[in-house]
Amino acid sequence: QDWEAVVLIPFINEELLVSVMKVHEVNLLPRDKKRNAHGPCMVFDFDKRQEEVTYLSPEGVFPPVLNCKAKSLELDRTCFDVPRENLFHGLNPGVQLDVLSGFPTLKHLPNTACLLDQGVQVFQQTSRRESMIVRLKLPEAEPSIIELAQRHVGKSVFINWPFLVEAKVMAVMDDLEKYSLNEKDELVRTEPSGQEASQWHCHVEQLNEEYHRKKGVEIGATFFLFYVKTFNGEKYVCHPKTGVVTKEKQWAREELPVCQQTVVTNLAKRAPVDVPDGAVSVDGGDQAMPNLAELFPVERQCFLLSGQYYGALGTVQEVDADGIRICISVEHYEEPDLLSALRHQGERADTYLPLYRVAQEVGISSSLLGRIVSSLQIDRGTAKSGAGRGVSAKVELGLQLKSTNKGQELLGFARGYMGDKGPWTKWEFSPAAVAAVRGYVQKFPQLFNNLAKIPGGDRCYEKDVVGEAG
């Protein structure tokens, strides 16, 4: 792909550039010279209590902003300067890479590395030279599946080593048995069906291939799979009777298979860090849980997640002294009447047809139709002799309603979607496209008869299409 290219740009000779531009500075207008100088930074802050004013940009560069509710503040650029004593070389104080999830680290799991020619994929291309391959050092004695289930099912672990992501283990499985929690949170054993066992082998093969080809990691033999739900975030939960606010982790709905030997289970918690005066710690540490008044301050906007006004925008008016109830004002808007639009939706909607149906409609083969609705170029000469000498002009015979390679479609005529062979491999065409192709076939019947005799491809030759007589 063009966008993946690495462009080598030589460094600009600063002294040469300044000396060349020096002679042209006399031609600059005063506003141009002002634009080349450092000026104050403008901070705009919305304030609904501010009177509506008209904001005019300096020099009238931009049109005026009417009914402006923002207040402006000028800041000198020096206010962003950091004192030298507050600058630290290297990582900020408080960073602990050993226990920080989400960042790549080769710690936590014992491993070795060596240079090997393994064809690791880089930018969707197989590497042509040696790559640094990481090999996991597996323990001599593997734990049993029941030990793994008792230790990890229902608990939090970290997956996708070396890119650690928190997840909750829902089940442990091999090709013979599976352990998971029932509705009473009791560990139960089941025997996988034939389909589940077949899926288990497919997952093992895919995960090993992904680690090897995409990450350059040899994870060794896989005997157990963890089925996990990844961590999505945390949610504040307020107890309805006491008003106590707690945090609850939220997990994804779908379960993902991961290889047991790539799971990190001993990730330590953050240790308290002494931060020098003036420095900023990246670790918030253990903070006191906010109360309801802190979560929902007065005039804070919020959305209702229950009741008849579900999804409505509201504004916090007050929080009761007991910290259990919140008074919210909701702006209620009348729902638009969509009955007439729904009644005529079917009448207005265009019916798109798959390629084979369009081919039946216009009376040509599906393969020929696929060439006509995309790009079909004609060269001078014949397929045997090649293009005519000295002639480089080509004629486009295709309607260019779609492009599978570029993922492009002509709106109102064609639309592509995911097929068995990947994205943009299945196409549908509107009545307007059917009419265009039918008119094309009716106006040039001999052309389509000749094209039908030529093997498939996006290029053909003049005399093969129109014949020797032309």
Side-chain angles (χ1 to χ4, degrees):
Q1 301 291 339
D2 295 338
W3 58 269
E4 293 177 337
V6 178
V7 182
L8 300 179
I9 302 177
F11 286 100
I12 296 176
N13 188 328
E14 181 182 355
E15 295 181 356
L16 177 61
L17 176 63
V18 173
S19 62
V20 171
M21 293 302 299
K22 196 72 175 177
V23 297
H24 298 284
E25 289 184 357
V26 295
N27 299 324
L28 294 178
L29 298 176
R31 67 178 184 182
D32 298 329
K33 295 180 180 180
K34 184 179 180 181
R35 189 168 62 243
N36 283 344
H38 291 290
C41 298
M42 301 294 297
V43 179
F44 294 90
D45 193 11
F46 175 75
D47 185 1
K48 67 178 182 180
R49 293 185 292 256
Q50 179 165 307
E51 296 182 1
E52 296 180 354
V53 297
T54 300
Y55 174 74
L56 300 175
S57 64
E59 306 290 341
V61 177
F62 299 106
V65 181
L66 303 178
N67 300 327
C68 182
K69 300 288 289 184
K71 57 183 180 181
S72 61
L73 175 66
E74 289 190 5
L75 295 179
D76 190 87
R77 57 185 297 269
T78 57
C79 71
F80 298 102
D81 293 344
V82 180
R84 182 175 293 274
E85 60 271 15
N86 291 343
L87 295 176
F88 299 90
H89 180 71
L91 296 174
N92 280 352
V95 174
Q96 301 179 38
L97 297 180
D98 293 356
V99 296
L100 192 61
S101 63
F103 289 86
T105 173
L106 293 179
K107 298 184 178 182
H108 309 304
L109 296 180
N111 61 84
T112 60
C114 60
L115 282 173
L116 293 174
D117 186 6
Q118 295 287 331
V120 178
Q121 289 187 353
V122 180
F123 290 116
Q124 291 79 46
Q125 298 290 331
T126 301
S127 177
R128 300 177 184 177
R129 298 184 180 180
E130 292 180 332
S131 302
M132 184 64 71
I133 304 297
V134 178
R135 287 176 173 170
L136 287 183
K137 296 172 64 176
L138 303 180
E140 297 181 358
E142 289 287 344
S144 65
I145 186 172
I146 183 62
E147 292 176 341
L148 292 173
Q150 292 173 344
R151 196 181 307 161
H152 302 300
V153 172
K155 297 181 175 62
S156 175
V157 297
F158 289 84
I159 64 171
N160 290 348
W161 182 91
F163 304 92
L164 300 180
V165 176
E166 189 174 1
K168 183 179 181 180
V169 180
M170 308 305 295
V172 179
M173 178 177 171
D174 61 11
D175 57 343
L176 297 178
E177 50 186 344
K178 177 180 180 179
Y179 287 87
S180 58
L181 296 178
N182 60 12
E183 297 178 354
K184 299 180 180 179
D185 286 339
E186 298 172 340
L187 192 64
V188 294
R189 175 189 178 275
T190 57
E191 292 186 3
S193 63
Q195 182 179 1
E196 288 178 326
S198 177
Q199 279 187 337
W200 184 89
H201 286 284
C202 290
H203 288 155
V204 169
E205 183 177 351
Q206 292 172 359
L207 291 171
N208 277 269
E209 180 70 14
E210 181 178 356
Y211 260 102
H212 185 227
R213 292 298 179 189
K214 294 185 178 180
K215 297 181 180 178
V217 179
E218 293 184 358
I219 62 176
T222 299
F223 300 102
F224 309 105
L225 290 182
F226 284 6
Y227 289 87
V228 303
K229 292 184 177 181
T230 54
F231 175 66
N232 277 353
E234 293 179 321
K235 180 175 72 173
Y236 287 111
V237 178
C238 179
H239 195 277
K241 294 183 178 180
T242 63
V244 176
V245 178
T246 58
K247 273 185 179 181
E248 289 185 2
K249 291 185 177 181
Q250 304 297 303
W251 309 99
R253 295 182 179 180
E254 300 295 330
E255 293 184 7
L256 300 177
V258 293
C259 297
Q260 172 263 330
Q261 66 271 33
T262 64
V263 173
V264 177
T265 60
N266 58 346
L267 194 58
K269 295 183 178 180
R270 291 179 181 273
V273 178
D274 293 331
V275 181
D277 294 338
V280 178
S281 173
V282 298
D283 185 4
D286 294 331
Q287 299 178 351
M289 200 61 62
N291 55 38
L292 206 57
E294 293 173 338
L295 283 177
F296 297 96
V298 176
E299 296 188 0
R300 171 69 59 84
Q301 288 187 326
C302 59
F303 290 94
L304 273 69
L305 299 180
S306 62
Q308 61 176 337
Y309 298 115
Y310 180 89
L313 177 64
T315 304
V316 178
Q317 299 298 315
E318 64 175 337
V319 179
D320 287 350
D322 54 8
I324 296 179
R325 297 177 183 83
I326 305 174
C327 180
I328 298 175
S329 65
V330 178
E331 296 183 7
H332 178 63
Y333 300 95
E334 292 292 335
E335 294 290 340
D337 184 10
L338 301 178
L339 291 179
S340 59
L342 293 173
R343 189 179 301 114
H344 300 292
Q345 182 180 10
E347 301 174 3
R348 297 193 304 266
D350 290 332
T351 303
Y352 278 69
L353 299 176
L355 188 137
Y356 77 92
R357 286 284 307 279
V358 178
Q360 294 174 355
E361 292 279 341
V362 300
I364 61 177
S365 66
S366 298
S367 60
L368 178 55
L369 176 63
R371 298 160 65 189
I372 287 297
V373 296
S374 55
S375 176
L376 178 61
Q377 294 183 339
I378 178 173
D379 282 317
R380 294 297 178 91
T382 64
K384 294 181 179 180
S385 63
R389 294 180 179 178
V391 179
S392 59
K394 300 181 180 66
V395 178
E396 177 63 66
L397 298 182
L399 297 177
Q400 295 183 304
L401 304 183
K402 71 177 184 69
S403 175
T404 300
N405 295 333
K406 297 180 180 179
Q408 295 177 346
E409 60 188 25
L410 185 61
L411 295 180
F413 289 85
R415 61 187 182 193
Y417 54 95
M418 177 70 71
D420 297 335
K421 299 180 180 179
W424 305 98
T425 55
K426 281 198 173 184
W427 293 89
E428 292 180 337
F429 301 90
S430 68
V434 176
V437 176
R438 181 184 288 113
Y440 197 1
V441 174
Q442 292 175 351
K443 190 169 184 178
F444 303 99
Q446 189 59 43
L447 170 65
F448 282 85
N449 288 336
N450 293 338
L451 287 174
K453 302 174 185 178
I454 301 174
D458 59 355
R459 177 171 294 180
C460 53
Y461 292 86
E462 175 188 22
K463 293 184 179 179
D464 297 330
V465 173
V466 300
E468 294 290 339

